[in-house]
Amino acid sequence: MKTNLHIHPSETFNAFMLFFIIQSAQIGVGIQGFQRIIYQDAKHDAWISVVLAGLATHIIAIFMLKTLHLYDSNDLYGIHQDVYGKWIGNFLNSLYILYISSAFFAVMMNYAEVVQSWVFPNLKTWFLVASLLLIVVYSFTGGLRVIVGICFFSFVFSIILLPVLGFPMKYIEPRSLLPVLEADMSEIFKGVKSMTFTIVGFEILYVIYPFIKDKENVNKPLHLGLFLTTIIYLAVMLVSLTYFSGEQLSKTIWATLTLFSIVKFPFVERMEYIVICFWMLIILPNLCLFVWTAYRGTIRIVNISAKKFVWIFSFITFIASFSLTTRIQINMFNNHFSRIAFYTIFVYPILLYVVAKIKNKVNKRKA
């Protein structure tokens, strides 16, 4: 097949690293304030929405793998070209690149907003964006294996922060979770849909799969990574639901950061300042993986070097950052992106698998 990829062994990595990639791709800016959005839909049953959303990621990941297994060594972009033909395939590839670029933009702008709101209110957005982009360019030019290495350290940093959430647990009220199933199923499923923005990232599997050395061992690290992400989101949601009152939670934009703000040490007065600065290391894999995915799609359409691509990509992103200057604008962008992301990562993989399976059977009959 012409669209098959031939990956040099020096660019591949072991399947167990997929655990760190999936986990670090999903934990990003969304966890800083996802509780309010889910609570607005499912109220105190928001934790059930988190569990169902996590379950949905496992089901979709199975469909992704089934689609990838239909090919010897191919990614989403090559599958599009094979299933739909060159022109329609490249059109869909362009849309997917646009989606991935939007994900990159959403992560970057949300983090810049948090830094301005909590730590440096007078710092200009363009300076923050330019600083982040330079770090991303430096990491990206190191290649995929460097990005995978960053994912590992991001995982370690995110795990280190988790015990800090033990401080608010001294003030929680577990009875706040009762009665269970207070919300009806439509409200709970609405909460599941609202989780989309928070758990995007695992679709990276579609593009990174050909670079895995021992593909027969993919299942375990993939599902363990998804499971750990669900456990982290569930723990944060349960602490939030039992710490805040319903009225407080519905008005708190960044509930996780607010939980960190009550943590006090004799030598650190404002723990959230450290956490927010620390968070840059956690979102860095998000940004690097998204720009790398966009690059892999772009080279299927045009011939361009990695270095040239990342500078052009960064310049366009930098210019686009001037279009979002207020919380309302960023919130609107998040909402629009979340709706598109829902159909892209939860609906389209099932449709693609069905179409690819039919195409595969037709090709076998012709042969």
Side-chain angles (χ1 to χ4, degrees):
M1 192 175 294
K2 290 180 181 178
T3 56
N4 272 343
L5 290 171
H6 302 286
I7 308 296
H8 193 273
S10 64
E11 295 181 275
T12 59
F13 57 88
N14 292 317
F16 77 90
M17 292 301 292
L18 195 60
F19 170 80
F20 304 107
I21 294 170
I22 293 296
Q23 197 274 334
S24 57
Q26 286 190 289
I27 301 290
V29 292
I31 197 173
Q32 294 175 338
F34 74 107
Q35 300 95 319
R36 177 179 63 91
I37 299 164
I38 315 304
Y39 180 81
Q40 286 172 347
D41 294 327
K43 297 296 180 286
H44 283 97
D45 291 322
W47 65 274
I48 300 176
S49 298
V50 175
V51 173
L52 292 178
L55 184 63
T57 60
H58 287 277
I59 295 170
I60 296 301
I62 291 170
F63 276 98
M64 287 179 177
L65 278 180
K66 280 178 171 288
T67 308
L68 291 163
H69 287 163
L70 294 174
Y71 295 83
D72 294 330
S73 176
N74 218 335
D75 59 10
L76 177 70
Y77 302 114
I79 293 172
H80 276 165
Q81 290 175 339
D82 178 64
V83 171
Y84 301 109
K86 182 182 176 184
W87 294 105
I88 298 176
N90 281 343
F91 173 70
L92 291 175
N93 286 346
S94 302
L95 291 181
Y96 202 80
I97 293 167
L98 188 61
Y99 159 75
I100 287 293
S101 303
S102 301
F104 178 94
F105 190 63
V107 172
M108 193 182 61
M109 295 307 296
N110 276 277
Y111 180 70
E113 186 199 11
V114 166
V115 172
Q116 286 177 317
S117 301
W118 285 75
V119 188
F120 301 114
N122 297 321
L123 203 60
K124 298 294 182 186
T125 305
W126 69 264
F127 180 80
L128 278 168
V129 169
S131 303
L132 282 171
L133 287 172
L134 285 174
I135 296 170
V136 170
V137 169
Y138 179 74
S139 306
F140 174 83
T141 50
L144 178 62
R145 295 181 75 161
V146 170
I147 297 173
V148 172
I150 295 172
C151 289
F152 171 76
F153 287 106
S154 170
F155 164 79
V156 174
F157 292 141
S158 60
I159 293 299
I160 288 174
L161 285 178
L162 272 181
V164 182
L165 283 174
F167 285 85
M169 290 184 71
K170 291 185 287 188
Y171 310 105
I172 63 172
E173 178 50 71
R175 285 181 298 179
S176 300
L177 297 174
L178 301 174
V180 177
L181 291 177
E182 183 183 15
D184 59 40
M185 288 312 293
S186 65
E187 291 171 324
I188 291 173
F189 280 115
K190 199 176 173 186
V192 174
K193 193 175 178 183
S194 297
M195 273 293 291
T196 304
F197 180 78
T198 310
I199 56 175
V200 295
F202 70 98
E203 66 273 24
I204 190 77
L205 173 69
Y206 264 143
V207 183
I208 213 164
Y209 180 80
F211 291 82
I212 298 171
K213 196 181 295 179
D214 45 341
K215 294 181 176 60
E216 66 278 7
N217 299 325
V218 161
N219 277 303
K220 196 172 179 181
L222 170 64
H223 288 287
L224 279 176
L226 293 170
F227 179 71
L228 179 64
T229 302
T230 304
I231 292 296
I232 291 173
Y233 281 128
L234 180 61
V236 175
M237 178 58 89
L238 286 173
V239 172
S240 304
L241 287 172
T242 51
Y243 177 81
F244 295 103
S245 69
E247 188 179 354
Q248 284 176 324
L249 194 55
S250 61
K251 292 179 181 176
T252 307
I253 298 175
W254 295 289
T256 306
L257 295 179
T258 305
L259 289 174
F260 281 121
S261 70
I262 72 163
V263 178
K264 299 282 189 300
F265 293 107
F267 52 92
V268 178
E269 181 67 21
R270 300 296 299 269
M271 185 66 187
E272 72 273 20
Y273 284 9
I274 296 175
V275 171
I276 291 169
C277 297
F278 209 56
W279 215 273
M280 191 198 74
L281 299 171
I282 294 175
I283 67 158
L284 185 58
N286 285 187
L287 298 172
C288 290
L289 287 170
F290 286 140
V291 71
W292 179 82
T293 305
Y295 168 67
R296 295 299 307 175
T298 304
I299 59 173
R300 289 290 188 133
I301 302 172
V302 295
N303 186 21
I304 186 170
S305 68
K307 193 174 285 186
K308 195 173 179 181
F309 169 82
V310 74
W311 280 111
I312 294 173
F313 182 91
S314 300
F315 178 72
I316 295 172
T317 306
F318 180 72
I319 297 299
S321 68
F322 288 95
S323 63
L324 300 185
T325 55
T326 66
R327 163 107 274 270
I328 294 173
Q329 289 174 329
I330 292 174
N331 204 38
M332 283 178 63
F333 181 83
N334 290 344
N335 291 338
H336 289 310
F337 172 75
S338 183
R339 277 195 287 274
I340 295 169
F342 174 77
Y343 293 104
T344 305
I345 66 172
F346 284 119
V347 178
Y348 184 63
I350 299 172
L351 176 67
L352 180 63
Y353 170 70
V354 173
V355 177
K357 186 76 176 174
I358 293 170
K359 178 75 186 278
N360 190 263
K361 282 188 177 179
V362 170
N363 286 343
K364 280 183 178 176
R365 283 180 186 173
K366 284 182 180 177

